[in-house]
């Protein structure tokens, strides 16, 4: 219970084998395959995963030959779905409905304009070393560890799929303690839930929270809220590309733009614009101009430059709004071509983004501090 005017915030994340993330990773693996052959290639790929079935649909405009089914099967196998008893595996039927990009969309992109309309938000704060909010950062760390203990057979009876949820108490606007962790994780039928909870607590929750300097008691941990979860994956819960945009971004701590990322090449500002906004927000905070920043961008289809570019610092600014805007203009040209070149986005780097979040991970160019 949170008392005395203190606040709490909850964020969730999902394992790489979650049905929606299976679809995101297949979509981004296809994007990477296109960009490997044609750096100017354009994609908008959606996947739908269900009971013993995968559907790949969308559009590609590129000088590339893509084996969609092989890419999908390779990803499904990598994610641990190799047992036909799960009713979804690397042997499941795959249908492909991919066509050429609409010429009415392509005309704007060829003129170095935005591939779609929309608004994007980038966020940064001083809660973690990565300048990301703490709840989503811990949630991502938990699911990454869940996948690790399964893949390395540290806990041998776990199955693909899973989710985490973390509640953090804030005092005077700063993280104070973790009050609850929720883990959903499928496992073999022969294992009792009490053993699952013990193993999750010992092998996942304790080591992850320790990295962030927190501890919880076992009674603050909930594992499989209904008391039973044996069969995960798309056969139990249909998956769809782009359905985890809050998981992909800031865990609800910042506003969310209108579109998802996965399957889209970066001229589509849903993706490239969101990366630019994060780059700007992170550098505002890293440079000491503010303790918290939310950068806002907007474009229309074919637009070469944003129709909106602004920043909210929530009363934490150390310099004037005018100086912060000038700093943003100095470090990145937010025209579509400026983003693509300034962040070096037209290359096959997107598959790793499709699990454990797109932000707060130093390997990506939009996380660079100038």
């Amino acid at each position: 219970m949170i008392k005395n005017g203190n606040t709490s915030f909850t964020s969730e994340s999902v394992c790489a084998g979650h049905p929606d993330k299976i679809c995101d990773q297949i979509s981004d693996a296809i994007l990477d395959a296109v960009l490997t052959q044609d750096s100017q290639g354009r994609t908008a790929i959606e996947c739908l995963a269900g009971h013993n079935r995968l559907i790949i649909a969308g559009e590609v405009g590129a000088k590339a030959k893509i084996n969609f089914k092989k890419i999908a099967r390779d990803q499904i196998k990598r994610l641990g779905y190799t047992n036909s008893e799960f009713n979804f595996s690397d042997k499941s039927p795959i249908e492909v409905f991919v066509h050429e990009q609409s010429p009415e969309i392509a005309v704007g992109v060829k003129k170095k304009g935005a591939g779609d309309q929309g608004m994007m938000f980038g966020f940064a704060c001083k809660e973690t070393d990565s300048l990301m909010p703490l709840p989503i950062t811990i949630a991502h760390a938990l699911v990454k560890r869940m996948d690790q203990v399964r893949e390395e057979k540290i806990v041998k009876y776990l199955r693909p799929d899973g989710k985490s949820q973390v509640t953090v108490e804030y005092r005077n606007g700063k993280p104070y303690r973790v009050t609850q962790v929720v883990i959903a994780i499928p496992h073999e039928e022969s294992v009792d839930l009490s053993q699952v909870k013990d193993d999750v607590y010992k092998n996942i929750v304790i080591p992850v929270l320790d990295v962030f300097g927190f501890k919880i008691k076992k009674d603050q941990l909930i594992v499989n809220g209904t008391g039973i979860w044996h069969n995960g994956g798309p056969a139990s819960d249909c998956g769809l590309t782009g359905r985890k945009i809050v998981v992909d971004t800031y865990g609800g701590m910042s506003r969310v733009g209108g579109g998802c990322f996965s399957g889209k090449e970066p001229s589509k500002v849903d993706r490239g614009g969101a990366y630019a906004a994060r780059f700007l927000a992170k550098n505002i905070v890293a440079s000491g101009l503010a303790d918290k920043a939310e950068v806002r961008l907007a474009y229309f289809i074919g637009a070469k430059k944003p129709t909106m570019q602004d920043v909210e610092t929530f009363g934490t600014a150390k310099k004037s709004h005018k100086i912060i805007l000038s700093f943003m203009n100095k470090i990145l040209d937010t025209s579509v071509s400026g983003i693509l070149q300034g962040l070096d986005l037209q290359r096959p780097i997107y598959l790793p983004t499709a699990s454990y979040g797109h932000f707060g991970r130093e390997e990506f160019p939009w996380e660079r501090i100038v």
Side-chain angles (χ1 to χ4, degrees), residues 43 119 139 175 189 247 279 338:
T43 67
M119 68 287 188
E189 290 86 348
V247 170
F279 176 79

Side-chain angles (χ1 to χ4, degrees), residues 24-26 28-29 32 75 78 271 348-355:
D24 284 346
Q25 286 165 97
I26 293 170
D28 274 341
D32 280 354
Q75 293 304 312
R78 178 180 66 83
R271 185 167 216 158
I349 59 173
Y350 297 104
L351 175 57
T353 69
S355 53

Side-chain angles (χ1 to χ4, degrees), residues 80-135:
Y81 288 94
T82 57
N83 187 341
S84 60
E85 293 181 4
F86 293 158
N87 292 309
F88 182 84
S89 74
D90 58 329
K91 302 297 191 297
S92 293
I94 298 175
E95 298 176 73
V96 178
F97 303 98
V98 178
H99 58 270
E100 288 287 326
Q101 185 183 44
S102 162
E104 294 177 342
I105 295 174
V107 67
V109 178
K110 287 177 181 177
K111 294 179 180 179
K112 300 187 184 302
D116 203 350
Q117 71 175 47
M119 68 287 188
M120 303 88 222
F121 299 93
F123 185 77
C125 62
K126 287 191 169 182
E127 292 183 10
T128 62
D129 291 343
S130 62
L131 303 184
M132 284 286 288
L134 182 65

Side-chain angles (χ1 to χ4, degrees), residues 59-222:
E59 59 220 41
V60 172
K63 297 176 182 178
K65 293 184 178 180
I66 305 300
N67 188 332
F68 297 98
K69 291 184 179 181
K70 183 179 187 307
I71 291 171
R73 293 192 194 284
D74 286 347
Q75 293 304 312
I76 294 167
K77 183 177 181 180
R78 178 180 66 83
L79 293 168
Y81 288 94
T82 57
N83 187 341
S84 60
E85 293 181 4
F86 293 158
N87 292 309
F88 182 84
S89 74
D90 58 329
K91 302 297 191 297
S92 293
I94 298 175
E95 298 176 73
V96 178
F97 303 98
V98 178
H99 58 270
E100 288 287 326
Q101 185 183 44
S102 162
E104 294 177 342
I105 295 174
V107 67
V109 178
K110 287 177 181 177
K111 294 179 180 179
K112 300 187 184 302
D116 203 350
Q117 71 175 47
M119 68 287 188
M120 303 88 222
F121 299 93
F123 185 77
C125 62
K126 287 191 169 182
E127 292 183 10
T128 62
D129 291 343
S130 62
L131 303 184
M132 284 286 288
L134 182 65
I136 188 65
T137 303
I138 296 177
H140 285 325
L142 286 167
V143 292
K144 189 172 184 179
R145 177 62 179 170
M146 288 161 65
D147 285 338
Q148 181 185 16
V149 299
R150 176 183 59 80
E151 291 168 1
E152 296 181 4
K153 301 190 182 304
I154 297 169
V155 180
K156 296 181 180 181
Y157 55 78
L158 298 181
R159 291 172 171 171
D161 206 349
K163 303 175 77 171
S164 70
Q165 185 171 287
V166 180
T167 300
V168 175
E169 179 184 347
Y170 287 75
R171 295 190 178 181
N172 299 316
K174 295 182 179 180
Y176 177 71
R177 62 174 177 152
V178 173
T179 60
Q180 187 178 73
V181 172
V182 178
I183 298 293
I185 193 163
H187 59 89
E188 294 177 3
E189 290 86 348
S190 60
V191 182
D192 187 78
L193 181 62
S194 62
Q195 182 183 342
V196 177
K197 184 172 182 178
D198 286 344
D199 288 339
V200 165
Y201 183 66
K202 179 178 69 175
N203 293 288
I204 298 170
V205 175
I206 289 177
V208 168
L209 291 187
D210 185 62
V211 170
F212 296 92
F214 295 103
K215 298 182 184 298
I216 63 167
K217 298 177 181 178
K218 196 187 294 185
D219 62 7
Q220 295 172 280
L221 169 66
I222 295 172

